[in-house]
Amino acid sequence: MELSLSAAARATGRSKSTIGRAIKSGKLSARRDEAGGYRIDASELARAFDWDPQAGVPWRAPEPSGPLAEPK
């Protein structure tokens, strides 16, 4: 399974810029697709960021909570 840069960021809980920096520094390998975006193999993401691919890719950020969260 390959992930886009955005999906890899969501999956690991990191920012897209963090994933991009890891690719540029060589910590994380990725390939470019036809459109010029990055495609990152799930096993490579697991290796570089200690991510569990069995946990899946969360598509929505968790709701904010705590004293700074807006009231509902």
Side-chain angles (χ1 to χ4, degrees), residues 7-69:
R10 283 190 301 268
T12 59
R14 307 240 179 12
S15 69
K16 291 191 312 185
S17 61
T18 297
I19 302 296
R21 280 193 306 270
I23 292 168
K24 288 179 181 163
S25 72
K27 178 181 177 186
L28 177 66
S29 65
R31 69 175 183 85
R32 291 278 189 167
D33 62 17
E34 301 82 30
Y38 285 113
R39 303 303 297 174
I40 304 159
D41 189 83
S43 62
E44 177 64 8
L45 191 63
R47 181 200 61 78
F49 287 98
D50 195 28
W51 171 67
D52 179 10
Q54 298 300 318
V57 178
W59 293 104
R60 295 182 66 193
E63 293 292 323
S65 61
L68 298 178

